[in-house]
Amino acid sequence: MRRFLLTAAFLCASLSGLTACKSTCRELSEKLCECALNSVEKQACQQRAADEEGRVEPTAEDELACEAKLEGCDCRTIETEEGKKACGLAR
C-alpha cells in the first residue's frame, strides 16, 4: 500500500502541470465548503481545508473512508441526519 501511495504521489508531482492532484479527503472537505452560505465563508472553509491538509496527512484508511463519502455528500441534505452521515459529519 505504501508503494502505491508513493507512486500516486510521484504521479501527482509529475502531472501537476496537467491536473490538480488532491487527496479524496481534501476533495470531500472542498465539497463541504461548497455548502457555505456565502463566498466569504466558502473561502475561509477552503483555507482551513488547505491548512489542515498541510498539517495532517490522511492515512490510506482515511482516504478510503473519504472516497466512500464523496459521492453521497450533498449540500441539499446536509442539515438532515442522513445528510450529515452521508458527508461523514455524523455517525
Side-chain angles (χ1 to χ4, degrees):
M1 181 60 86
R2 186 175 183 167
R3 186 175 190 184
F4 170 76
L5 292 175
L6 290 174
T7 302
F10 175 76
L11 287 174
C12 282
S14 299
L15 299 175
S16 63
L18 301 174
T19 183
C21 293
K22 295 181 183 176
S23 70
T24 54
C25 290
R26 173 73 182 270
E27 289 179 34
L28 180 58
S29 294
E30 289 182 351
K31 189 170 187 176
L32 289 168
C33 290
E34 294 296 322
C35 301
L37 298 176
N38 59 56
S39 61
V40 173
E41 287 182 20
K42 180 179 172 181
Q43 285 180 327
C45 179
Q46 289 173 334
Q47 184 60 54
R48 283 190 307 273
D51 292 346
E52 191 66 16
E53 183 181 50
R55 189 180 74 76
V56 178
E57 186 173 332
T59 65
E61 186 176 295
D62 294 335
E63 289 294 320
L64 290 174
C66 291
E67 186 175 358
K69 302 289 183 191
L70 193 57
E71 191 174 321
C73 184
D74 185 341
C75 289
R76 293 176 301 215
T77 61
I78 196 89
E79 293 301 322
T80 66
E81 185 174 338
E82 289 304 312
K84 284 179 173 55
K85 288 179 184 176
C87 291
L89 300 174
R91 293 179 188 206

